[in-house]
Amino acid sequence: MACETLLLFGATGDLARRMLLPSLFVLHADGLVPDCLQIVGTARSMLSDAEWRTMARQALAQFLPPDRIDDAQITSFVERLRYQPLDASQPEGFAALADKIGDSPRGIAIFLSTAPQLFEPTIAGLKAAGLTGENVRIGLEKPLGRDLASSRAINDAVASAFPEERTFRIDHYLGKETVQNLLALRFANMMFEPLWNANGIDHVQITVSETVGLEGRIDFYDEAGALRDMVQNHMLQLLALVAMEPPASFDATAIRDEKVKVLRSLRRIDADSAPSHSVIGQYAPGASRGEAVPGYTDELGKASHTETFVALKAHVDNWRWQGVPFYLRTGKRLPSRQSEIFIQFKQVPYSIFAKRGGRLKANKLVIRLQPEEYIRLLVMAKEPGMDREGITLREVPLDLSLTHAFAGARKRIAYERLLLDLIEGDPTLFVRRDEVEAQWEWIDAIRAGWTANQMEPKPYGAGSWGPSAAIALTERDGVSWHD
Ligand code: BG6
């Protein structure tokens, strides 16, 4: 008998094949989930258990790193898998789903990723089938709405069956190891926090650049655009972790209380400030990693006003961050895949080296999330020598390469961590409703600002760093993007 069940909606979809099944397999292989956990998959396709298991085997063969492939472990993993076809728009099917799950005394964790219009019927179906009891928690994958109003409607539908403490909103960036390491860097070390404010920091940059284009997600992406797809969730979560006050403890309430305060302190970018504080772009034909690639509208097959690039100048209006710009930038078809947080510290108040020719650069801290994971502090050092011609100072990196420092530790992908937390019921790395709503409120004002100013995305060549206006956005302040 199963002691616990993970119920996977969208079981035949891209996310399940690429990320969820491989992550679950690794948790299984590493002995991190109970032996009696069963994984029930559901989707519209009329598959049997055996057919879904075959699909899972194919997905594992395709998406697991080669060193993780182990036939015996794969065989024991797929034995956990069971499948129930379901048309979530039809209430009748949910009883069969409940039968398939059977008894699950230690509880059920649901992973729900579905089209927006299916949220309400799915929740209603789960409720009617008795799948919303006290030992059931629900994980929700994006997109959870396209603005504040639609996000509230989804949250209300979910709240009618699941209280907030059993609702786990996924932002997979919070599952990334270096993102969690940011908390360790800030709150497990003495040397950063005293400088972590407007006295010590000149500005912050957050870049999430991708080389990929549409990747076949035509309908979804064209409806969303870069602001909703990346800034509303991932980038604002990164900003909140950088800017938040020290939480009282490492627990879900304390951390999320501090994040939401930051999100609510974001200065609105509205109709007045949108033209000076935001830049939007859409990729035109160009070259990506040495190959000619088509433009966005060619891939889409129609004209579009959707932005594939956005750059913003944001401010957190509180004491700690007064006067410190947070520059955010994300886009598709940029020159490299690079996610990082870049902290530019202030210059020393006075240079004792100036009269001896020494030039100073202000310290910088780079927190690189991907493709590599490292934290690098750039500090000034004197070049070795007799200094007869003056003192030469040079910026040198103090590197904390997480890949090297923890070489023995297996690099885990975000969904491994988040699925395990969902199964075990730890909400710390999930997003609370008040955070999501504060995020949407800020994003909606920006979109309204674009509409009021009739702002259209400016074209940029695929493989470039976005429209030139994005460079001007920071250069006006005497700041260069850290590429
Ligand atoms: C997703 C977006 O949330 O994040 C995608 O919908 C994007 O458009 C992806 O490609 C990026 O995630 P990662 O982990 O590859 O940086």
Side-chain angles (χ1 to χ4, degrees):
M1 188 184 70
C3 59
E4 261 174 284
T5 301
L6 177 68
L7 171 56
L8 219 57
F9 280 82
T12 56
D14 196 52
L15 183 68
R17 294 182 332 102
R18 269 175 199 275
M19 295 286 174
L20 306 180
L21 287 166
S23 300
L24 289 166
F25 167 76
V26 169
L27 295 175
H28 161 90
D30 291 350
L32 290 167
V33 288
D35 287 343
C36 52
L37 174 84
Q38 67 169 348
I39 300 170
V40 175
T42 180
R44 278 176 79 119
S45 313
M46 298 299 290
L47 301 181
S48 63
D49 289 350
E51 285 166 325
W52 191 45
R53 288 174 179 178
T54 305
M55 180 185 273
R57 278 180 181 276
Q58 285 160 354
L60 296 180
Q62 195 176 348
F63 296 113
L64 273 179
D67 68 328
R68 296 256 38 178
I69 293 193
D70 175 318
D71 287 340
Q73 282 175 337
I74 290 179
T75 300
S76 62
F77 171 70
V78 298
E79 276 164 19
R80 292 179 185 270
L81 304 184
R82 312 185 63 211
Y83 184 84
Q84 177 65 36
L86 175 76
D87 175 353
S89 66
Q90 305 299 318
E92 325 58 89
F94 284 83
L97 184 61
D99 284 349
K100 188 85 182 190
I101 292 171
D103 283 338
S104 199
R106 289 218 316 241
I108 304 174
I110 302 175
F111 183 101
L112 181 58
S113 67
T114 186
Q117 66 277 16
L118 288 179
F119 262 104
E120 290 186 30
T122 304
I123 299 292
L126 290 170
K127 216 185 316 190
L131 292 173
T132 57
E134 278 192 0
N135 64 354
V136 186
R137 65 194 80 90
I138 190 160
L140 303 171
E141 180 57 87
K142 63 178 275 225
L144 296 175
R146 56 192 321 275
D147 54 17
L148 180 60
S150 53
S151 138
R152 277 198 174 134
I154 290 173
N155 281 323
D156 286 344
V158 174
S160 72
F162 296 92
E164 182 62 30
E165 61 275 15
R166 289 196 274 118
T167 304
F168 289 58
R169 290 178 201 79
I170 293 160
D171 183 317
H172 80 276
Y173 266 57
L174 296 181
K176 291 184 191 277
E177 197 63 56
T178 331
V179 174
Q180 295 157 45
N181 231 313
L182 175 58
L183 295 180
L185 182 84
R186 285 194 59 194
F187 303 124
N189 295 295
M190 188 58 207
M191 64 261 266
F192 294 109
E193 203 49 29
L195 288 178
W196 209 263
N197 52 46
N199 296 327
I201 291 179
D202 180 79
H203 72 268
V204 175
Q205 299 181 18
I206 302 178
T207 294
V208 178
S209 68
E210 298 185 278
T211 53
V212 293
L214 256 181
E215 289 187 300
R217 298 153 85 213
I218 289 187
D219 296 332
F220 163 74
Y221 194 85
D222 200 49
E223 278 290 301
L227 186 71
R228 290 188 180 108
D229 186 41
M230 297 297 285
V231 182
Q232 183 272 335
N233 39 28
H234 311 320
M235 297 188 78
L236 287 185
Q237 283 291 321
L238 295 180
L239 185 154
L241 291 170
V242 170
M244 73 183 188
E245 297 300 314
S249 64
F250 196 96
D251 75 44
T253 303
I255 288 182
R256 298 187 297 179
D257 282 353
E258 296 307 335
K259 280 193 293 166
V260 78
K261 282 191 222 161
V262 172
L263 296 165
R264 289 189 185 134
S265 310
L266 281 167
R267 186 184 304 167
R268 266 182 186 237
I269 297 177
D270 55 15
D272 288 338
S273 53
S276 55
H277 286 64
S278 68
V279 171
I280 43 180
Q282 188 186 78
Y283 64 84
S288 175
R289 288 175 293 181
E291 277 183 30
V293 291
Y296 178 74
T297 50
D298 305 317
E299 276 185 64
L300 194 64
K302 60 177 186 192
S304 165
H305 301 285
T306 299
E307 80 287 354
T308 61
F309 174 95
V310 57
L312 300 170
K313 178 178 171 182
H315 288 95
V316 178
D317 273 340
N318 61 17
W319 278 34
R320 183 187 281 260
W321 295 112
Q322 230 10 251
V324 181
F326 285 72
Y327 300 102
L328 314 182
R329 159 178 80 152
T330 184
K332 302 272 186 204
R333 287 278 188 240
L334 300 185
S336 58
R337 177 165 186 259
Q338 171 181 327
S339 299
E340 69 175 30
I341 299 165
F342 173 85
I343 314 275
Q344 173 75 63
F345 289 96
K346 290 210 157 137
Q347 282 286 9
V348 295
Y350 171 74
S351 170
I352 63 164
F353 302 100
K355 289 190 188 129
R356 302 283 294 272
R359 296 232 190 101
L360 297 188
K361 286 188 179 166
N363 298 136
K364 304 170 178 77
L365 179 69
V366 184
I367 300 161
R368 175 71 81 113
L369 314 180
Q370 55 199 28
E372 319 86 350
E373 296 187 353
Y374 61 76
I375 296 174
R376 174 175 294 164
L377 183 64
L378 293 163
V379 294
M380 294 309 290
K382 188 184 93 62
E383 273 195 6
M386 296 306 211
D387 308 327
R388 298 299 97 181
E389 323 240 292
I391 297 179
T392 309
L393 297 165
R394 193 152 57 89
E395 206 172 39
V396 290
L398 278 183
D399 258 326
L400 172 57
S401 161
L402 302 176
T403 329
H404 289 140
F406 303 106
R410 197 168 269 291
K411 191 172 170 225
R412 300 215 170 257
I413 66 166
Y415 281 101
E416 289 174 37
R417 172 65 194 248
L418 296 178
L419 284 166
L420 189 59
D421 285 356
L422 173 66
I423 292 166
E424 293 183 348
D426 179 351
T428 313
L429 299 180
F430 295 83
V431 185
R432 211 166 56 186
R433 177 170 182 162
D434 51 1
E435 293 178 77
V436 176
E437 295 192 347
Q439 289 170 183
W440 275 121
E441 225 172 297
W442 193 69
I443 293 293
D444 283 0
I446 298 175
R447 296 200 70 84
W450 293 348
T451 308
N453 290 283
Q454 297 177 331
M455 280 172 66
E456 288 289 330
K458 297 183 196 327
Y460 61 95
S464 73
W465 279 109
S468 53
I471 295 166
L473 179 79
T474 59
E475 294 290 340
R476 275 202 295 274
D477 300 339
V479 167
S480 300
W481 289 107
H482 183 247
D483 292 338

